[in-house]
Amino acid sequence: MASNQSELLISVHKIDSEIIKRESKIQSITESIVKLEKKLKNNLSISKELEIKEAASLKAHNTEEQKYKEEEKKIMERRKQISSVGGNKSAKLAERELDIAKRIMESLEKNVLDSMQNLETLQSQKLLVTNAITELKELLESKSKVAKDQINILTSELNEYRKSKLEKSSKLDPRLSSLYKRVETRYRGDAVAFASGGACQTCFRSLPAQMFNQVMAGYNLTQCPGCSRILVNPASTDSEVTSPEGI
Ligand SMILES: [Zn+2]
């Protein structure tokens, strides 16, 4: 088999690894955006929950305050009543009654304070979440813009590489092409291994002398007995594939 088939095979192999690099870059960019979107969604739902809790807490606080005011009014009226009635016995009773009232007021006051504290805790939690949401929205907006540009560039590079691959693959010997496809399903973008120093340079398995010599002679339907990759002579390539134009 002509050695330019080995060169073609190496080209296709290199194009494939460039394709895979770009596909996985696009995937990781997309994933990082999806991750941010999920985080934002999560924070928005936390914020909604806090809003509901805050409204309930405000209502509870108002109720406690109302109870306190009503009790205060009742006690003031009772004080007036008591002071208008004289007598030693009633003075003692009044003292006891006012003592009870004082304790009730203390407990109601505690309820008002507790409900206020609860409300304040919820409000500060909500503020934190609101700030996080603002930050996330800004981050997502700027990252999405960058991601869109990056993906556009990567996609157009991918299209170029895919075009090149088609062009090169069509020139491959059908037997070599089908072997490559078969090995490629197992090793995506990594179906070709260089043979040198009597061994496969990918899995480092020593190759039988005859097999090694055949590979060196440019026979490229040989699979490594260790990893099954297609073995090629590294001397059949002299240029690196770095960009679609340079293939
Ligand atoms: Zn191998």
Side-chain angles (χ1 to χ4, degrees), residues 37-241:
E37 283 171 342
K38 267 190 191 161
K39 212 172 168 186
L40 177 63
K41 206 176 151 193
N42 189 33
N43 278 6
L44 284 170
S45 85
I46 292 174
S47 163
K48 219 173 194 175
E49 275 171 34
L50 284 173
E51 225 165 80
I52 294 166
K53 280 187 189 167
E54 193 191 340
S57 167
L58 181 66
K59 206 173 155 192
H61 174 64
N62 288 341
T63 308
E64 291 302 335
E65 226 169 28
Q66 190 64 27
K67 273 192 210 162
Y68 180 86
K69 278 179 190 160
E70 277 165 14
E71 192 63 29
E72 197 178 36
K73 209 173 143 195
K74 251 200 272 174
I75 290 169
M76 270 163 74
E77 274 164 15
R78 187 73 188 122
R79 262 200 190 121
K80 267 188 221 161
Q81 272 181 4
I82 290 166
S83 64
S84 66
V85 184
N88 225 359
K89 200 179 167 192
S90 62
K92 262 190 182 172
L93 270 175
E95 203 177 301
R96 202 186 299 162
E97 197 180 321
L98 287 175
D99 194 45
I100 293 166
K102 196 182 153 203
R103 262 178 275 154
I104 291 173
M105 284 305 284
E106 273 169 5
S107 131
L108 286 175
E109 193 183 3
K110 190 182 176 294
N111 289 350
V112 171
L113 289 175
D114 285 351
S115 66
M116 186 69 211
Q117 201 175 31
N118 189 27
L119 182 63
E120 279 172 359
T121 306
L122 283 168
Q123 280 170 339
S124 63
Q125 264 178 3
K126 214 186 129 217
L127 184 66
L128 285 179
V129 176
T130 306
N131 288 343
I133 288 173
T134 310
E135 272 175 36
L136 274 172
K137 276 185 179 166
E138 282 169 7
L139 187 67
L140 193 61
E141 199 187 330
S142 69
K143 279 213 166 189
S144 297
K145 232 178 252 171
V146 175
K148 205 179 153 197
D149 290 345
Q150 283 177 325
I151 288 175
N152 277 343
I153 292 169
L154 289 166
T155 306
S156 78
E157 284 176 357
L158 265 179
N159 289 339
E160 287 299 311
Y161 278 120
R162 285 182 182 138
K163 223 160 65 189
S164 280
K165 188 190 170 180
L166 265 180
E167 196 191 305
K168 303 252 177 192
S169 303
S170 69
K171 292 180 195 158
L172 271 181
D173 180 285
R175 284 171 303 162
L176 188 55
S177 176
S178 82
L179 176 64
Y180 179 76
K181 275 181 199 153
R182 213 166 55 235
V183 180
E184 232 252 326
T185 55
R186 185 166 162 198
Y187 300 112
R188 253 215 99 196
D190 190 27
V192 173
F194 289 126
S196 103
C200 166
Q201 291 305 300
T202 300
C203 75
F204 302 104
R205 164 76 76 96
S206 290
L207 305 170
Q210 195 191 354
M211 180 185 276
F212 180 70
N213 291 337
Q214 277 177 344
V215 174
M216 290 300 107
Y219 187 83
N220 46 27
L221 282 172
T222 313
Q223 286 178 266
C224 168
C227 64
S228 303
R229 287 178 176 85
I230 305 168
L231 292 165
V232 291
N233 179 347
S236 29
T237 178
D238 55 3
S239 62
E240 285 286 318
V241 176

